[in-house]
Amino acid sequence: MRDKKTADKKTNDLTPREIVAELDKYIVGQKKAKRAVAVALRNRIRRLKLDPEIREDIAPKNILMIGPTGVGKTEIARRLAKLAGSPFIKVEATKYTEVGYVGRDVESMIRDLMAAGIQMVKQEMQENVTSEAEKRAEEALLDLLTGKKPREPKKASPSPMVRPIGAFPLNSGSGGSSFMGAAIQVGISSKQSQDTAEESDEGEGEAAEIANGAAQDTGKSGFAVDSTREKFRFMLREGKLEERTVEITVNQNPQFPSFEMMGGGMEELETSLSGLAGLFGSNRKKKVVSVKRAREILIAEESEKLIDRDRVSDDARQRVEEMGIVFIDEIDKIAVKGDRGGGPDVSREGVQRDILPIVEGATVNTKWGPVNTDHILFIAAGAFNISKPSDLIPELQGRFPLRVELESLGKEEFLRILTEPKNALTNQYKDLLATEGVEIEFLEEAVERLAVLAAEVNSRLENIGARRLHTIMEALLEELSFEAPDMAPAKIPITESYVNERLADLVTDQDLGRYIL
C-alpha cells in the first residue's frame, strides 16, 4: 500500500519533460506527439489542484494524431495512460454505426471505459486485502480437510421450484379487449429438501474420512481435533497437500446470452436480468478440485467479499470522469471526402454526429451509474492518406484543437527501435530462444543491416512503419526458432553475413511482397 501511494505521488510530481523521458524508454522519436500528450497529462494534474468552481470550467484539450500506420500513435496513448494510472480504452471508429441502425452505438465506448475503471479499482482494492483473504482461505481449506463444519452453513436453501399450472384469459375492462395470463406455482418440493439433507450427511462423512487419512499420513495417531488442524496447517504451508482433492461449493453468476442493442437498453436489460436472478438465490455448484486450485478459488471469493462494491463503483466513476482516456483509432476512415456526392452515410457522417456529443460532454448511463464525459481526454488518430482532417465535419474538428503530425520512420529510427527501448525487439527474441537453451547475440553490423532492409522494403511497398521489423525478424529467425529445441544448448552469433544469407531472396527479388507483408 505504501508503494502504491509513493507511485501515485511520483506520477503527480512528473513534469512534462520527465513525462517525455518516460515515454522515450518505450517509443523512439515523435517528439511533437510526446510533448503534446505530456502537456495534456500535466494540465490534468494541474486542474485537480484548483478550486472546484474553477476546475469545472477547464476542459481537456483533445488531441488528433496524424501519421502513417506503425509510427507509435497507439503506443504513445497506451503508455501515457499506464504512466498516469488512468482508465484507458482503445476503440476503432469503424465499428460504430449511427443510432437507429444495427451495430454498436458510440456510447458503448464510455461503458467499456467504465468497465476498465471498475476492473482497475477492484484490482487495487483486492491487493490491499490479499493478506486477510489468504488467511480466510486457509481457514476454509482447513475446515474442508479436517471435516469441521465450514463457517458458512453447508445446508444451503434449495432453489425455489417454479412450475406453470395453466393459462386463462384476462379482460382489460370496458374496452372489451383481452389477453392471456399464466399461473405458476412457486415452492420447494419435499424431494429437494430430502436430497439436500442427504447431500449434507454424505459430505460430513467424506470430510471425516479425509481427516482420518490425513492423520495416518503424519505417521502418528490419536491426534485431537485441534492438533490435527494445526498439523494440516503446517502441511498446507509446506506445500505437501497441493495435489490432494477437496470438494468446495462455489457461487456461479448467472450467464445470459450476449445482446447488441442501441442506446442504454442493454444496460437496463442486464440489470433487470441480474435482479431477477437474485430472487431465486445464488447459483451454487459443488466442484472437486485440488487444494492448490481450491486455494485460488477461495482467495478470489474472500477478496470479493472483503471489498466494498459501492466504493468500487464510486471510485471508478470518479477516476473515469477525471482521468479517463479514450483513444479513437481509424478516425480517418469515417471522414467523408469533400467531393463525395450523395446523402449522409450512416457509417461515416452519422458516426461523426454521434461521436460529437460524447466528445463535447454528455452523460452516459451505465450499469454502475451515469458517467459524465466533460473531462475525459479523447485522443483520435488516423493515417489520413486518402482523406484529410478537413473532411471531418467542422464541429468534430473543433473538438480536437491540438493536432500533431507523426513522422515516418527511417533507417535511423529502426536502428534505435532495435536497440534502445526496454522491450527492444532484439531483446525479446533473445529471451524467447533462451528458454530453449539457445543463446543468440546480435552483432552491431547485423542490427544495422536489418534497419536498412526495413527502410528499403517500406520505401518499395506499403509503408507500415515499425511493424515491418516484426516481419523481417520472423523471416530472419524462422529456421532457428524451429530448430532451437533440437540444437540446445548452443550459442549463435547473428552476423551481417547471416542476415544476408537468411534474407537473400528479400535482397535480390524485386517482388518483395512474396516474402514480406
Side-chain angles (χ1 to χ4, degrees):
M1 183 67 180
R2 183 178 301 171
D3 295 339
K4 180 67 173 62
K5 288 183 178 179
T6 304
D8 291 342
K9 185 177 184 300
K10 182 180 178 182
T11 299
N12 292 335
D13 292 338
L14 285 177
T15 65
R17 192 181 304 277
E18 291 171 338
I19 294 171
V20 171
E22 289 293 322
L23 295 176
D24 283 339
K25 295 179 181 179
Y26 303 96
I27 304 154
V28 170
Q30 312 305 350
K31 292 295 183 184
K32 292 182 181 179
K34 290 176 182 175
R35 287 171 66 94
V37 298
V39 170
L41 177 59
R42 184 64 180 179
N43 281 338
R44 306 189 89 182
I45 298 173
R46 292 166 179 160
R47 174 184 167 273
L48 294 177
K49 297 178 180 179
L50 297 174
D51 293 334
E53 295 182 1
I54 304 176
R55 185 190 308 168
E56 290 301 316
D57 295 331
I58 299 179
K61 306 302 184 290
N62 298 320
I63 302 171
L64 177 62
M65 293 185 181
I66 305 168
T69 182
V71 296
K73 299 188 296 293
T74 304
E75 192 65 15
I76 288 174
R78 181 179 288 114
R79 292 291 178 183
L80 181 74
K82 187 174 183 180
L83 179 64
S86 302
F88 174 80
I89 189 72
K90 175 184 178 293
V91 299
E92 286 79 30
T94 52
K95 70 180 179 181
Y96 298 107
T97 61
E98 186 177 354
V99 171
Y101 294 84
V102 176
R104 296 205 66 179
D105 66 286
V106 296
E107 288 188 352
S108 63
M109 71 174 68
I110 304 301
R111 300 188 190 104
D112 293 341
L113 181 66
M114 186 62 186
I118 289 286
Q119 185 63 29
M120 177 183 294
V121 173
K122 182 184 290 186
Q123 184 175 356
E124 291 176 2
M125 289 187 176
Q126 287 178 341
E127 289 176 357
N128 295 333
V129 298
T130 298
S131 178
E132 180 63 24
E134 289 176 348
K135 292 178 182 178
R136 294 190 180 191
E138 182 180 76
E139 296 300 327
L141 275 175
L142 291 173
D143 288 339
L144 294 172
L145 291 168
T146 59
K148 289 186 65 176
K149 187 176 181 180
R151 287 175 287 111
E152 293 184 356
K154 193 160 188 175
K155 187 185 295 185
S157 300
S159 300
M161 175 189 67
V162 181
R163 183 177 64 188
I165 60 176
F168 53 88
L170 293 173
N171 294 324
S172 60
S174 59
S177 60
S178 63
F179 56 93
M180 296 299 295
I184 61 173
Q185 179 183 6
V186 180
I188 301 175
S189 65
S190 58
K191 185 177 185 305
Q192 278 183 300
S193 301
Q194 183 178 359
D195 292 343
T196 303
E198 292 176 356
E199 290 175 2
S200 178
D201 294 340
E202 181 182 352
E204 292 178 1
E206 291 177 356
E209 187 177 343
I210 292 175
N212 292 334
Q216 294 176 2
D217 290 341
T218 62
K220 301 178 182 179
S221 60
F223 277 104
V225 174
D226 291 340
S227 300
T228 303
R229 187 179 183 87
E230 293 307 314
K231 186 65 177 177
F232 271 121
R233 191 189 305 276
F234 175 79
M235 295 174 70
L236 269 179
R237 294 178 178 178
E238 290 292 317
K240 297 178 180 179
L241 302 176
E242 296 296 287
E243 302 304 321
R244 184 183 290 275
T245 59
V246 293
E247 184 181 62
I248 62 174
T249 304
V250 296
N251 291 326
Q252 288 190 331
N253 294 326
Q255 299 294 324
F256 301 108
S258 177
F259 297 98
E260 198 69 55
M261 298 179 65
M262 280 67 73
M266 183 57 211
E267 300 292 331
E268 297 172 3
L269 177 61
E270 186 174 350
T271 303
S272 300
L273 290 176
S274 300
L276 182 62
L279 296 176
F280 298 96
S282 58
N283 185 13
R284 298 178 64 82
K285 179 180 179 181
K286 289 186 177 181
K287 296 177 67 175
V288 177
V289 296
S290 65
V291 168
K292 181 178 180 180
R293 176 59 182 156
R295 184 186 293 107
E296 296 173 358
I297 296 174
L298 290 171
I299 289 177
E301 287 190 352
E302 294 298 336
S303 298
E304 191 75 20
K305 295 176 185 175
L306 287 170
I307 62 176
D308 185 348
R309 291 175 177 266
D310 293 334
R311 185 185 169 194
V312 169
S313 299
D314 294 340
D315 289 357
R317 183 164 57 251
Q318 181 180 4
R319 189 176 299 189
V320 165
E321 291 180 345
E322 300 292 342
M323 297 296 292
I325 299 176
V326 176
F327 183 80
I328 307 176
D329 203 5
E330 308 292 350
I331 198 169
D332 58 314
K333 303 302 187 297
I334 63 171
V336 183
K337 295 184 66 174
D339 57 350
R340 181 178 176 273
D345 189 337
V346 299
S347 63
R348 293 191 178 189
E349 291 182 0
V351 176
Q352 292 185 58
R353 287 193 299 268
D354 286 348
I355 289 178
L356 181 60
I358 303 295
V359 178
E360 285 182 334
T363 300
V364 177
N365 291 322
T366 73
K367 64 181 179 181
W368 299 283
V371 176
N372 188 279
T373 67
D374 285 342
H375 301 289
I376 293 176
L377 177 64
F378 291 88
I379 303 176
F384 289 100
N385 51 357
I386 298 177
S387 58
K388 303 185 297 295
S390 58
D391 292 330
L392 295 168
I393 60 176
E395 297 84 357
L396 191 59
Q397 292 183 48
R399 292 300 167 180
F400 290 90
L402 301 183
R403 298 186 184 181
V404 291
E405 293 190 16
L406 284 81
E407 303 168 354
S408 298
L409 303 179
K411 172 199 165 184
E412 297 300 325
E413 288 77 19
F414 288 146
L415 185 59
R416 294 176 59 194
I417 290 172
L418 287 171
T419 55
E420 289 186 10
K422 281 188 174 182
N423 56 349
L425 208 54
T426 51
N427 294 333
Q428 293 179 25
Y429 280 95
K430 284 180 184 179
D431 295 339
L432 284 173
L433 291 175
T435 61
E436 301 280 4
V438 176
E439 182 182 352
I440 61 174
E441 180 184 1
F442 288 90
L443 301 183
E444 185 177 345
E445 62 270 15
V447 176
E448 186 171 354
R449 180 59 178 163
L450 288 172
V452 170
L453 288 176
E456 182 180 350
V457 175
N458 273 349
S459 64
R460 294 184 183 181
L461 298 177
E462 289 292 333
N463 186 357
I464 61 173
R467 294 187 177 93
R468 186 72 66 186
L469 292 174
H470 291 271
T471 57
I472 286 183
M473 290 291 288
E474 282 295 325
L476 174 69
L477 300 175
E478 179 182 8
E479 183 176 351
L480 187 59
S481 298
F482 185 84
E483 301 289 347
D486 301 323
M487 60 191 305
K491 183 176 181 179
I492 301 174
I494 306 298
T495 63
E496 183 178 3
S497 59
Y498 183 89
V499 173
N500 291 331
E501 179 185 352
R502 294 300 307 156
L503 303 177
D505 294 333
L506 174 65
V507 176
T508 58
D509 201 316
Q510 294 296 323
D511 187 11
L512 303 178
R514 296 186 346 187
Y515 303 97
I516 300 294
L517 285 178

